[in-house]
Amino acid sequence: MTIIEELRDNRNLSDDGLLTIMHTDAFDQELRTLADGVRRAHYGTDVYLRGLIEFTSYCKCSCFYCGLRCGNPEAQRYRMTKEEILECCAEGYALGYRTFVLQGGEDPFFDDDAISDIVASIRRQYDDCAITLSIGEKSYESYKAFFDAGANRYLLRHETADEAHYSMLHPENMSSQHRKQCLFQLKEIGYQVGSGFMVGSPFQTKEHLLADLRFLQELSPDMIGIGPFIPARNTPFAEQEGGSLTLTLRMISILRLMFPYALLPATTALGTIHPHGRELGLQAGANVVMPNLSPAAYREKYAIYDNKICTGDESAQCRKCLEQRVASAGYQVVTNIGNVKR
Ligand code: SAH
């Protein structure tokens, strides 16, 4: 049995085994083929859509990698109104989206009541849809309030599971421990939880990636979002090298083999570093795409990294474009809520 077959069959290689796979491109072809086989066994050729609404570019955090960090005076700031958010949902629903992802910086303007009110309004109108939040680290009580208002999924990447590495990417007032605690609280409350990490973030080693895989085994999330680190101007990491396509694809395949049930997005960041990055991501084992539903006027302002794609397109264009891309990769977009199949 090859080492990749062993990973597929036991899902639990030794640290040495995983490091061996991560360190070389020798297994990439076999990895991709077996990962695609596992994804087809669990999800067929279905690809789920998530409509992404980037509703605020204000943020009180100062993560070193992110273009929206509060320490970036050049960042363009905007907030969508509740009415604008609901309009996005209406447009998305008509386009066939059954999941709305509200993502934003950690913006104190949207306090618990404001978020709960927005969630409840969406929930009232779209009972057949999933409402996903991706708004960072909050208290247990806040998470509970959003859940009670009708939110049912939450995306919070752990970014890196290694504490020392985490502290190289974030200011002192943020900690890996707290972010992980948030993830376990979200699970406890009953959310379907998504976590994940950046590939090729500054100072990252293969051992850090191994720690990411081990942490994910502990957390057992429903969704795992990964994408290459891409430098953002006016940040401390503006001049750092970005993450590579091959390593990101390799990690997607490893994740598919280790977490056969998982919802794995082919991310916008992957599409940003290569013209067919998302198609390649799907072929490596991903089964979710997250087209942008934000009004085109705001898109450019949500600049977490440089040269982000799809900033000029209307939502309907994004939907069509992605449908074609998914088909060209050999899969098909499906219009349903897209729950995890454990
Ligand atoms: N404020 C929310 C949403 C953050 S944006 C939160 O804290 O969860 C979503 C993800 O984009 C982040 O979790 C991070 O992994 C990724 N990201 C941020 N800056 C990036 C960059 N420069 N390159 C690639 N990915 C980045």
Side-chain angles (χ1 to χ4, degrees):
M1 199 157 47
T2 67
I3 191 168
I4 310 297
E5 285 168 337
E6 210 175 305
L7 174 57
R8 179 195 58 188
D9 293 349
N10 306 325
R11 284 189 231 159
N12 204 10
L13 279 186
S14 65
D15 289 358
D16 280 350
L18 285 167
L19 285 169
T20 304
I21 298 173
M22 282 193 271
H23 268 293
T24 167
D25 58 11
F27 304 112
D28 284 350
Q29 190 55 50
E30 191 194 356
L31 251 182
R32 204 168 312 162
T33 306
L34 294 190
D36 185 56
V38 168
R39 93 67 104 223
R40 283 171 194 264
H42 283 258
Y43 287 98
T45 52
D46 290 356
V47 172
Y48 301 123
L49 289 174
R50 317 296 194 205
L52 185 63
I53 304 170
E54 298 161 335
F55 71 100
T56 173
S57 68
Y58 285 86
C59 192
K60 68 177 167 65
C61 301
S62 224
C63 308
F64 300 155
Y65 45 84
C66 183
L68 298 182
R69 66 199 304 270
C70 64
N72 179 5
E74 306 293 326
Q76 299 188 64
R77 309 292 178 180
Y78 70 91
R79 290 183 181 109
M80 286 169 63
T81 62
K82 177 177 152 185
E83 289 65 37
E84 285 176 308
I85 295 171
L86 288 169
E87 270 171 43
C88 281
C89 295
E91 196 177 351
Y93 194 88
L95 289 169
Y97 295 106
R98 294 296 176 266
T99 296
F100 304 119
V101 182
L102 298 183
Q103 188 177 85
E106 292 196 17
D107 180 358
F109 175 87
F110 290 96
D111 60 14
D112 288 1
D113 286 347
I115 296 290
S116 299
D117 176 47
I118 291 166
V119 168
S121 303
I122 300 174
R123 177 52 67 223
R124 266 196 297 278
Q125 286 189 46
Y126 305 101
D127 198 32
D128 56 338
C129 293
I131 302 174
T132 307
L133 293 176
S134 179
I135 53 176
E137 297 173 40
K138 308 274 175 185
S139 69
Y140 184 95
E141 291 69 34
S142 302
Y143 287 147
K144 181 80 170 75
F146 308 153
F147 186 80
D148 291 341
N152 39 10
R153 298 181 186 151
Y154 205 103
L155 305 181
L156 185 76
R157 292 185 177 178
H158 65 274
E159 312 295 2
T160 173
D162 182 277
E163 277 183 38
H165 185 221
Y166 191 95
S167 67
M168 295 179 203
L169 306 182
H170 300 91
E172 266 176 28
N173 64 346
M174 297 178 74
S175 77
S176 164
Q177 203 196 349
H178 186 257
R179 206 158 173 93
K180 289 175 181 169
Q181 184 189 320
C182 288
L183 283 160
F184 287 106
Q185 290 181 343
L186 287 161
K187 271 194 86 166
E188 189 186 319
I189 291 168
Y191 283 96
Q192 296 168 41
V193 169
S195 194
F197 53 90
M198 285 177 288
V199 176
S201 57
F203 320 114
Q204 185 182 65
T205 65
K206 298 293 188 294
E207 283 72 19
H208 294 146
L209 289 171
L210 176 64
D212 290 323
L213 297 175
R214 295 302 183 209
F215 170 70
L216 290 168
Q217 284 182 313
E218 196 190 324
L219 180 69
S220 186
D222 300 295
M223 298 163 268
I224 304 172
I226 69 167
F229 159 72
I230 303 173
R233 67 176 73 94
N234 303 310
T235 64
F237 292 161
E239 305 303 327
Q240 296 277 342
E241 205 181 314
S244 81
L245 176 73
T246 44
L247 185 56
T248 307
L249 295 175
R250 190 178 304 155
M251 294 309 297
I252 291 176
S253 296
I254 292 173
L255 287 169
R256 173 56 67 205
L257 295 180
M258 289 179 77
F259 305 90
Y261 63 82
L263 296 159
L264 303 177
T267 55
T268 305
L270 194 53
T272 297
I273 62 164
H274 186 280
H276 297 292
R278 285 168 298 179
E279 292 90 317
L280 292 166
L282 294 171
Q283 289 167 339
N287 62 338
V288 171
V289 287
M290 303 176 72
N292 208 312
L293 258 181
S294 314
Y298 295 133
R299 301 251 179 121
E300 243 176 52
K301 298 186 175 160
Y302 198 83
I304 52 181
Y305 48 77
D306 294 344
N307 307 316
K308 193 158 159 249
I309 51 170
C310 311
T311 51
D313 296 348
E314 293 297 337
S315 300
Q317 285 172 281
C318 277
R319 168 75 168 81
K320 228 174 152 200
C321 162
L322 263 180
E323 179 156 349
Q324 285 164 359
R325 285 173 183 271
V326 168
S328 78
Y331 307 92
Q332 101 243 7
V333 158
V334 292
T335 303
N336 70 39
I337 196 164
N339 280 321
V340 73
K341 293 185 186 173
R342 287 268 189 180

